[in-house]
Amino acid sequence: MRISSHYKSISLLLILLSIASFFIGFFYGENSAGGGTLYHDFNNVWRNLQIFLNNDLSAAIDFTANPDRETNLFFQSSRTPLIYILHKFFNPFTGNKVSFINSVFIISLSVPFLFYLCLKQKFQNDDNLLLVLIATTVCLSPFFRTSAYWGLEENYSIIALLLTFLFLNQFLSNDNSLWKNSYQIFLVALFSSLCIYFDQKLAIIPLICFFCIFFSNKTINLKIVLFLLYFIFSLPYIYLITIWGSVIPTGDASGRGIGSKIYFNHIGYTSTIIAFYLLPFLFYKKNTLLDQIKNFFKEKKNYYLISLFFIYFLYLLIFYDYDSEARLGKGFIHKIAILIFEESLIQEIFIYFSFFISWVIILIYLENNFKDKLVIFYFFIISIIIWPILQEYFDPLILIMGFTFLNTKLFIDYRGSIFLFLYLSILLISSNIYYYSLLN
């Protein structure tokens, strides 16, 4: 869609504001996700890095399975140690904290650029300036920013995800050239596997790639090669699982309780977080928001889907003790409830009502898109086996996946893009105010 010069000027201004705010936040040491600064999550990152810098690879990996807390040699992360191995061998700026943080910031700058390339690949006929605007809105994500500013682990998986999308689409759209197919299928397998090594919940990405290629018109030989590549790339992780006794390192395994309990209450909190990032996509659909709501309630089957919420609500009333729950995480709705209401009963009512609204938003977004339903269902399944549930697990992941891997038809226009910018700007400002008040 072509836009007028007036809206081009507005779009250009918003792009510059996104980029400028990203650099300003870095120079002023912003902590909009609460885990930044040298005295918080970066402590764990720096200690992990020293383990790999100061030991041979075998000994360092052993520390991920056998922590030695008395000597402070213990690996504190829920992710695999691959990124620390890569820093050890390929990052020349690990000599001190400042240079290391600066290097991670520079690496993170690739995310909006790669995001733009993905958008350009998927929305080839849409206005280039709007695609740049959408790509730079990732710079407004509090969790992307904090990870970029303080050397944290989260942004590497986003880079791997975007590279996977680029090479997957190239592979599926190219001709039958042996050379193109060979190197592209290798890169798809490599980067989609790296998604898991950088963040285990992104196991959905190689699954998407595998089924997209399996049901494509590519030759059976290429599909067998893909399977073999995935098997080879999985071997190091299988080894790590055997020495950890879990899918995450020993130091975090017991504290996070993966596999030891099912957290059904997380379904509601996850719905509020996912719905928050899906809501702007309703403004990129063909019909107006009001028409989408009307059409949704015209469909009889949607009432059956809504009834699922009331079954879940009944479960919460019978089995969930809100007052006994730790207040860690659970996303922005939980934090708003605590800030606005003093009485726990009122907080609970507000949260349950938000669960319902969020469920409806998700259903309206999904419509009849089977693939997107499976992806969202996957994230709900992941949420009930991990503790705690944090908003950073989905920001900016759901936003980026909505524009890349998800299949819901989007119509890129200036109204939706400007709304997206303002929407994420409010999140960023609110997050900064919240964590500044909390930590100061």
Side-chain angles (χ1 to χ4, degrees):
M1 176 180 176
R2 307 302 298 178
I3 57 176
S4 67
S5 59
H6 174 68
Y7 285 105
K8 283 186 177 181
S9 299
I10 294 175
S11 298
L12 182 59
L13 174 62
L14 298 184
I15 291 168
L16 293 174
L17 285 174
S18 292
I19 297 172
S21 75
F22 188 64
F23 280 91
I24 291 170
F26 175 65
F27 289 123
Y28 281 91
E30 178 189 298
N31 181 20
S32 54
T37 78
L38 297 176
Y39 307 104
H40 289 84
D41 289 350
F42 179 75
N43 271 339
N44 294 333
V45 171
W46 186 250
R47 183 178 57 245
N48 294 344
L49 181 61
Q50 298 313 301
I51 290 174
F52 281 85
L53 292 179
N54 300 326
N55 296 277
D56 62 57
L57 191 56
S58 176
I61 290 176
D62 184 66
F63 280 118
T64 70
N66 302 292
D68 187 352
R69 295 183 181 272
E70 291 185 3
T71 60
N72 207 35
L73 288 175
F74 62 96
F75 186 82
Q76 190 72 45
S77 175
S78 61
R79 297 171 174 85
T80 77
L82 176 61
I83 191 57
Y84 299 102
I85 297 173
L86 295 177
H87 280 304
K88 175 184 177 72
F89 291 110
F90 300 108
N91 187 349
F93 304 104
T94 56
N96 61 72
K97 293 180 179 181
V98 173
S99 63
F100 174 70
I101 286 175
N102 290 343
S103 71
V104 175
F105 175 72
I106 293 171
I107 292 170
S108 297
L109 289 174
S110 66
V111 170
F113 175 71
L114 291 172
F115 191 19
Y116 164 75
L117 294 180
C118 292
L119 292 170
K120 189 65 177 175
Q121 188 183 73
K122 185 173 182 178
F123 304 99
Q124 298 177 10
N125 298 322
D126 287 294
D127 189 279
N128 193 60
L129 190 64
L130 282 177
L131 300 182
V132 175
L133 174 57
I134 294 170
T136 54
T137 57
V138 73
C139 295
L140 302 173
S141 160
F143 303 95
F144 170 70
R145 291 165 71 101
T146 301
S147 295
Y149 299 163
W150 297 104
L152 306 186
E153 300 172 336
E154 285 78 2
N155 292 346
Y156 307 109
S157 61
I158 298 297
I159 294 171
L161 179 149
L162 293 169
L163 288 169
T164 300
F165 182 80
L166 286 171
F167 289 114
L168 174 65
N169 282 335
Q170 288 179 10
F171 173 74
L172 293 175
S173 62
N174 69 25
D175 54 27
N176 290 319
S177 164
L178 179 62
W179 164 245
K180 286 183 178 180
N181 280 312
S182 298
Y183 88 85
Q184 286 176 353
I185 199 169
F186 174 81
L187 293 174
V188 169
L190 172 65
F191 287 113
S192 60
S193 297
L194 287 177
C195 286
I196 303 179
Y197 281 93
F198 292 146
D199 191 340
Q200 293 92 326
K201 71 176 178 290
L202 289 187
I204 187 67
I205 301 302
L207 284 174
I208 291 173
C209 294
F210 180 82
F211 285 110
C212 283
I213 294 173
F214 183 81
F215 290 108
S216 73
N217 60 1
K218 297 296 182 180
T219 66
I220 187 65
N221 288 338
L222 284 171
K223 295 171 184 178
I224 293 173
V225 168
L226 178 67
F227 179 82
L228 291 175
L229 286 171
Y230 276 139
F231 173 74
I232 293 169
F233 290 143
S234 70
L235 292 178
Y237 197 17
I238 292 172
Y239 167 71
L240 290 173
I241 291 174
T242 60
I243 65 173
W244 293 339
S246 174
V247 295
I248 65 174
T250 304
D252 269 26
S254 59
R256 292 181 179 268
I258 291 180
S260 63
K261 183 179 178 181
I262 302 297
Y263 303 91
F264 286 113
N265 59 299
H266 285 182
I267 293 175
Y269 294 107
T270 300
S271 71
T272 63
I273 301 170
I274 291 178
F276 178 85
Y277 295 103
L278 291 182
L279 179 60
F281 289 101
L282 300 184
F283 293 88
Y284 284 112
K285 291 198 172 188
K286 185 176 182 179
N287 296 328
T288 66
L289 180 59
L290 183 59
D291 287 339
Q292 291 177 61
I293 295 172
K294 288 180 180 178
N295 293 336
F296 174 79
F297 284 103
K298 285 179 182 178
E299 294 283 341
K300 184 178 180 181
K301 64 179 181 180
N302 290 330
Y303 289 94
Y304 295 113
L305 294 174
I306 290 175
S307 68
L308 292 176
F309 169 80
F310 292 102
I311 295 173
Y312 176 66
F313 178 62
L314 185 62
Y315 161 81
L316 292 175
L317 291 178
I318 297 174
F319 298 105
Y320 179 48
D321 184 0
Y322 172 78
D323 292 325
S324 67
E325 275 282 308
R327 297 200 168 191
L328 175 65
K330 301 186 178 68
F332 75 105
I333 285 294
H334 184 249
K335 290 179 173 60
I336 289 174
I338 294 173
L339 285 173
I340 295 178
F341 306 109
E342 293 185 4
E343 295 185 23
S344 62
L345 177 60
I346 305 300
Q347 293 174 9
E348 198 170 0
I349 292 171
F350 174 80
I351 288 171
Y352 291 167
F353 179 73
S354 299
F355 287 177
F356 174 72
I357 297 299
S358 299
W359 180 237
V360 172
I361 291 172
I362 292 171
L363 292 177
I364 292 174
Y365 168 83
L366 291 173
E367 293 182 311
N368 297 315
N369 195 308
F370 181 70
K371 176 186 173 182
D372 289 6
K373 286 180 180 178
L374 288 179
V375 173
I376 298 302
F377 178 72
Y378 167 85
F379 284 117
F380 277 117
I381 293 298
I382 289 294
S383 74
I384 66 175
I385 61 174
I386 60 175
W387 185 93
I389 191 72
L390 304 173
Q391 186 146 347
E392 67 185 68
Y393 296 163
F394 303 94
D395 181 340
L397 174 61
I398 298 298
L399 178 72
I400 290 176
M401 288 194 68
F403 283 110
T404 53
F405 284 97
L406 297 187
N407 279 353
T408 296
K409 180 67 175 177
L410 303 177
F411 296 86
I412 305 300
D413 63 10
Y414 68 85
R415 289 171 297 180
S417 302
I418 291 174
F419 174 80
L420 178 65
F421 174 89
L422 297 174
Y423 187 76
L424 296 178
S425 295
I426 293 172
L427 171 65
L428 175 61
I429 293 169
S430 302
S431 298
N432 271 292
I433 293 173
Y434 175 81
Y435 284 109
Y436 180 83
S437 301
L438 185 68
L439 301 173
N440 291 280

